[in-house]
Amino acid sequence: MASSPPPDTILRPINGPARPLSQFLTTFHLVLVVLDPYTHESAWIIETAGRVLTTFSQADCRVGWLVAGDPDGCRAFLGPWAQRFSTFSDPDREMIKSLGLERLPALVHLGMDASVVSDAEGWHPREWRDVTEAV
C-alpha cells in the first residue's frame, strides 16, 4: 500500500523545471501511472495505461506518467505517450520511494493535500479499476 509523500518532494517534468509536488496539486488531484522502464511488466502496460490516462484527461484531475529514468530514457520508453500527458522523470526513484511503492507498474491517485486517495501496485486489473472508480 502506498504512503503519502511529503508535499515538498520534487517532481521533475521532462519538459519543464523541477518543482515541489505541492505545486502540481494547487487546483486538481494528480493521477499517476508509475513505471519502471527496466521491467517487462511496465513495458507491456503502456498502451493500457495510456487508455486509462486518456479516459481521465478531461476529468477534474491531472494525469501523467512517473518513470524511473532520466528525461531521455522517459521519452525513449514511452514514445509518443510522453508527449500526450505530463511525464515526470524520477531517475533516483525519490518520488517512487516517498510513495512507498514496492511493485511497478502502479496507479496512484493523490489528493490536493498530497495524501494517497487510492492506489494499485502491480498489474491487477480489478485493483486498477477500483482506483479509477475512486477518481
Side-chain angles (χ1 to χ4, degrees), residues 45-73:
I45 197 68
I46 292 173
E47 293 297 319
T48 300
R51 287 193 305 271
V52 170
L53 294 179
T54 299
T55 298
F56 289 98
S57 64
Q58 298 299 314
D60 289 337
C61 62
R62 292 178 192 250
V63 297
W65 307 100
L66 176 63
V67 180
D70 63 26
D72 289 335

Side-chain angles (χ1 to χ4, degrees), residues 25 28-30 109-117:
L25 298 169
F28 297 106
H29 291 212
L30 182 61
H109 173 196
L110 296 173
M112 291 175 57
D113 61 354
S115 64
V116 173
V117 176

